[in-house]
């Protein structure tokens, strides 16, 4: 069967897998952003604490993904849960690192005037530091998202959602009639999704960067 | 009441051989503008920041309107003390108006009132609200940002202002204009102000009183500009005051205060501009090669100026 006919026949399944792929990445990145920014906020002031947080998240990134999933199955079973946990683990490093860098980059004179005006630490964080660090944090989130689109294909091994299933079944049936079509369709889908998200990030950056920083 | 009283205030930074501020005592009256002047590193900033508790003293006491600042919650204290730093520190992601409204907002003013206040203050510091309120700090020149910094510190009408080299980052011409406007403002507002600078001439221009500080923030002399110029307490103060102190003193005396004789129009004397100082009168004499000039409806001569300096010396 040629590729276009294959696509036509499998279009609905592929679309559903693509939507799930995007959903699992988006959910994981959202969770990772919440966790990563929190870790950055709690540790940025201390070189030692933030260094440790970055080292740990970098070490996590070196665990082979299959091994990590295998470790998660006894705890979380199959499907979405181990997939999301693994993806969150892999996306922490860029987010934590950029949060720390962004917060460190805020001009000390700005912090001093905030303190001198009587803003509490929390008010300074929410109203001054995070908005100023946001463009850099968002860049970290964007890098993580791109990484996750590729990594998420591995979820198929734990019966997780997404285009990985298409690729995996292609690889498993190598030599059979549609094996190549499957692998190509799955891979192309991942790449296209990643591109679409990257474009969305350009827009998101535009919308969420405070106007005063763009002038 | 918002007088400030420093009693034996000492600050010892961790790991430093000597205290940065060593048993300093000073009284600053309500409504008075006191300038801390001294060489770099002598402890001016440290002393000032202990007043709003950005730095905590190691020992001693600071009283604000009679109350020990250490007994006031720091953020609450700071919201009632205007604070201007040399680097200005405007928040770049907020508009000029939002920058000014921040402290009123923290104090629970409603938005309308804060907004009107921001406009009023922009006006006060010489920036047209319609043109500037919605701009961002990066769209302003350094001097304009400095004005906004002062406006922001004034936002909640604090009785006390702390200003750390607020005009430091501007060129001499802008600086002089800012100083003039600031004096005009202060004449109107009568805040209790601590103003830090290492420029003695700025201190002379602005201060009701000057605290000349030496190392470890020790007070070498604390007096009015005229008296410090006329009678420096020691060599240190004298060297700080620099040369031509008699001329600098004349700059502090409005020419209309000079004793004079009724003017005879037929003399055709050079006429001093309105608002000129005794120094301007002297300058006019030197330029025109006369020993007499017309000030309003009187004539002032060189000998009178000399006599006046002699007079003030004793006071
Ligand atoms: N956080 C700190 N830790 C240790 N030493 C400090 C600290 N801040 C200031 N010092 C020291 O205390 C002394 C006084 O510093 P301060 O900043 O008060 O000086 P200053 O008179 O404001 O100087 P300048 O005119 O240069 O601003 C200096 O010797 C400085 O090195
Ligand atoms: Mg200083």
């Amino acid at each position: 069967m040629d590729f276009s006919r294959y696509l036509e026949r499998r279009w609905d399944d592929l679309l559903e897998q693509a939507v799930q792929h995007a959903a699992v990445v988006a959910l994981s990145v959202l969770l990772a952003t919440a966790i990563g920014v929190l870790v950055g906020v709690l540790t940025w002031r201390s070189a030692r604490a933030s260094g440790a947080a970055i080292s740990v998240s970098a070490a996590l990134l070196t665990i082979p993904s299959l091994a990590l999933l295998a470790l998660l199955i006894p705890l979380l079973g199959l499907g979405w849960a181990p997939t999301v946990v693994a993806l969150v683990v892999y996306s922490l490093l860029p987010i934590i690192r950029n949060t720390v860098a962004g917060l460190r980059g805020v001009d000390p004179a700005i912090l001093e005037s905030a303190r001198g005006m009587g803003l509490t630490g929390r008010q300074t964080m929410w109203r001054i530091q995070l908005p100023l660090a946001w463009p850099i944090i968002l860049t970290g989130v964007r890098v993580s998202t791109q990484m996750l689109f590729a990594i998420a294909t591995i979820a198929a091994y734990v019966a997780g959602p997404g285009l990985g299933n298409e690729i995996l079944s292609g690889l498993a049936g190598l030599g059979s009639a549609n094996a190549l079509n499957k692998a190509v369709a799955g891979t192309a889908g991942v790449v296209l999704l990643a591109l679409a998200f990257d474009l969305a990030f350009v827009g998101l950056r535009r919308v969420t960067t405070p106007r005063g920083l763009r002038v | 009441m918002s007088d400030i009283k420093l009693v034996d205030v000492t600050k010892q930074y961790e790991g430093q051989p000597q205290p940065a501020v060593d048993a300093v005592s000073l009284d600053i009256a309500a409504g008075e503008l006191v300038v801390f002047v001294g060489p770099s590193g002598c402890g001016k900033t440290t002393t000032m920041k202990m007043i709003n508790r950005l730095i905590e003293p190691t020992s001693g006491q600071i009283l604000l309107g009679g109350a020990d600042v250490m007994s006031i919650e720091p953020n609450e204290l700071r919201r009632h003390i205007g604070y201007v730093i040399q680097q200005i520190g405007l928040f770049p992601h907020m508009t000029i108006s939002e920058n000014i409204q921040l402290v009123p907002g923290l104090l629970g003013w409603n938005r309308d009132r804060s907004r009107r206040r921001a406009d009023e203050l922009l006006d006060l510091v010489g920036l047209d609200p319609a043109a500037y309120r919605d701009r961002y700090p990066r769209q302003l020149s350094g001097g304009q940002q400095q004005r906004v910094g002062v406006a922001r510190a004034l936002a909640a009408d604090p009785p006390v202002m702390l200003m750390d080299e607020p005009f430091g980052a501007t060129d001499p011409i802008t600086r002089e204009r800012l100083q003039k406007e600031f004096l005009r403002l202060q004449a109107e507002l009568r805040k209790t102000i601590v103003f830090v600078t290492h420029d003695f001439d700025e201190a002379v221009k602005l201060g009701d009183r000057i605290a000349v500080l030496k190392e470890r923030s020790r007070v070498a002399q604390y007096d009015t500009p005229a008296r410090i110029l006329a009678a420096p307490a020691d060599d240190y103060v004298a060297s700080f005051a620099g040369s031509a102190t008699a001329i600098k003193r004349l700059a502090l005396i409005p020419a209309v205060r000079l004793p004079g004789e009724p003017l005879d129009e037929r003399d055709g004397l050079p006429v001093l501009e309105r608002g000129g100082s005794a120094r301007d009168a002297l300058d006019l004499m030197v330029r025109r090669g006369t020993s007499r000039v017309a000030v309003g409806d009187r004539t002032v001569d060189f000998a009178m100026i000399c006599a006046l300096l002699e007079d003030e010396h004793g006071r």
Side-chain angles (χ1 to χ4, degrees):
Chain A
M1 197 185 317
D2 71 14
F3 188 58
S4 60
R5 286 215 22 230
Y6 174 80
L7 276 187
E8 200 182 322
R9 196 163 57 92
R10 296 261 298 134
W11 186 251
D12 287 347
D13 287 344
L14 284 171
L15 204 61
E16 191 190 331
Q17 285 183 2
V19 168
Q20 290 201 343
H21 201 93
V24 79
V25 168
L27 175 66
S28 304
V29 162
L30 280 179
L31 286 172
T33 302
I35 296 169
V37 170
L38 183 68
V39 169
V41 163
L42 293 177
T43 61
W44 73 279
R45 223 176 256 283
S46 143
R48 192 188 287 188
S50 56
I54 289 169
S55 298
V56 168
S57 57
L60 289 173
L61 203 52
T62 64
I63 306 175
S65 40
L66 280 177
L68 181 59
L69 286 171
L71 288 172
L72 289 171
I73 290 171
L75 299 171
L76 300 168
L78 297 170
W80 277 70
T83 307
V84 169
V85 171
L87 295 186
V88 167
V89 164
Y90 286 131
S91 53
L92 287 176
L93 175 64
I95 298 175
I96 294 178
R97 199 183 46 199
N98 280 34
T99 303
V100 169
L103 292 174
R104 289 238 176 99
V106 174
D107 182 353
I110 288 175
L111 296 186
E112 159 136 6
S113 66
R115 207 157 85 89
M117 290 164 78
L119 271 79
T120 63
R122 191 169 300 191
Q123 286 166 336
T124 307
M125 182 53 73
W126 276 109
R127 302 174 67 159
I128 314 290
Q129 292 168 280
L130 281 177
L132 292 178
W134 180 246
I136 297 171
I137 297 173
L138 193 65
T139 303
V141 175
R142 182 176 173 181
V143 169
S144 285
T145 307
Q146 293 303 298
M147 261 173 28
L148 287 197
F149 271 107
I151 297 177
T153 54
I154 213 79
Y157 282 104
V158 289
L163 288 163
N165 290 297
E166 183 76 4
I167 298 171
L168 190 66
S169 91
L171 290 179
L174 220 54
S176 73
N178 278 321
L180 193 61
N181 283 339
K182 284 181 175 173
V184 171
T187 308
V190 170
V191 171
L192 287 177
L193 276 182
L195 281 175
F197 265 65
D198 212 40
L199 273 180
F201 266 104
V202 175
L204 191 64
R205 188 188 166 99
R206 220 160 229 294
V207 175
T208 60
T209 299
R211 223 166 71 78
L213 302 183
R214 286 187 274 125
V215 292
Chain B
M1 282 304 289
S2 46
D3 59 313
I4 303 170
K5 207 174 167 74
L6 276 63
V7 187
D8 268 338
V9 175
T10 296
K11 175 64 190 181
Q12 171 76 56
Y13 284 113
E14 201 101 359
Q16 300 285 314
Q18 286 188 319
V21 175
D22 193 2
V24 170
S25 297
L26 270 180
D27 281 1
I28 298 164
E32 187 177 34
L33 197 171
V34 166
V35 182
F36 289 178
V37 64
S40 189
C42 74
K44 306 179 291 293
T45 298
T46 305
T47 307
M48 195 193 78
K49 284 189 186 173
M50 285 192 279
I51 297 172
N52 65 354
R53 293 189 61 181
L54 284 176
I55 295 174
E56 310 253 299
T58 312
S59 66
Q61 222 185 9
I62 296 174
L63 304 172
L64 192 69
D68 188 335
V69 294
M70 296 305 285
S71 68
I72 307 170
E73 200 276 319
N75 290 314
E76 193 54 33
L77 175 75
R78 291 175 197 144
R79 288 171 196 179
H80 294 98
I81 298 180
Y83 183 52
V84 186
I85 55 177
Q86 175 172 355
Q87 310 89 319
I88 313 176
L90 297 182
F91 305 128
H93 59 304
M94 298 181 183
T95 63
I96 299 308
S97 182
E98 287 165 351
N99 265 278
I100 300 175
Q101 290 176 47
L102 191 65
V103 173
L106 294 175
L107 293 172
W109 294 24
N110 70 40
R111 283 196 66 103
D112 256 10
R113 183 172 167 217
S114 303
R115 229 179 263 151
R116 264 181 286 121
R117 177 67 177 160
D119 280 1
E120 183 186 316
L121 284 165
L122 283 174
D123 237 353
L124 194 68
V125 298
L127 296 172
D128 174 18
Y132 289 95
R133 68 164 85 84
D134 293 325
R135 290 212 209 173
Y136 288 94
R138 287 185 190 166
Q139 298 169 313
L140 266 55
S141 74
Q144 290 167 339
Q145 290 187 29
Q146 220 120 28
R147 290 161 200 242
V148 175
V150 173
R152 183 173 68 169
L154 284 167
D157 204 12
V160 175
M161 301 267 287
L162 306 178
M163 311 181 79
D164 195 351
E165 304 200 35
F167 309 140
T170 42
D171 63 272
I173 294 171
T174 308
R175 186 172 189 157
E176 186 154 339
R177 208 173 57 220
L178 287 170
Q179 288 168 344
K180 280 216 179 93
E181 286 172 8
F182 178 63
L183 276 179
R184 172 183 58 77
L185 260 179
Q186 169 62 356
E188 206 174 303
L189 302 174
R190 285 280 120 203
K191 307 273 179 200
T192 309
I193 299 178
V194 177
F195 189 109
V196 164
T197 180
H198 49 239
D199 175 354
F200 188 78
D201 293 330
E202 180 168 71
V204 169
K205 249 182 249 169
L206 299 182
D208 294 323
R209 282 197 286 172
I210 300 175
V212 183
L213 304 179
K214 48 189 176 187
E215 78 287 356
R216 287 174 283 126
S217 216
R218 307 286 322 197
V219 180
Q221 187 168 9
Y222 184 34
D223 213 330
T224 62
R227 296 246 298 248
I228 289 178
L229 286 168
D234 55 23
D235 288 351
Y236 174 82
V237 177
S239 75
F240 221 85
S243 57
T245 52
I247 304 278
K248 288 176 187 169
R249 284 167 61 199
L250 290 179
L252 296 170
I253 305 167
V256 290
R257 264 187 47 208
L258 291 167
E261 286 160 4
L263 177 67
D264 186 341
E265 299 283 353
R266 283 166 304 177
D267 286 354
L269 292 175
V271 179
L272 186 70
E273 262 183 67
R274 278 172 59 90
S277 65
R279 176 186 165 152
D280 297 326
L282 182 65
D283 183 70
L284 190 61
M285 288 174 191
V286 173
R287 271 191 289 138
R288 294 299 189 80
T290 71
S291 62
R292 293 199 305 154
V293 294
V295 177
D297 57 0
R298 295 172 312 145
T299 68
V300 164
D301 75 19
F302 181 68
M304 289 169 184
I305 293 178
C306 299
L308 187 84
L309 280 182
E310 200 55 42
D311 249 24
E312 293 231 330
H313 195 97
R315 271 194 261 155

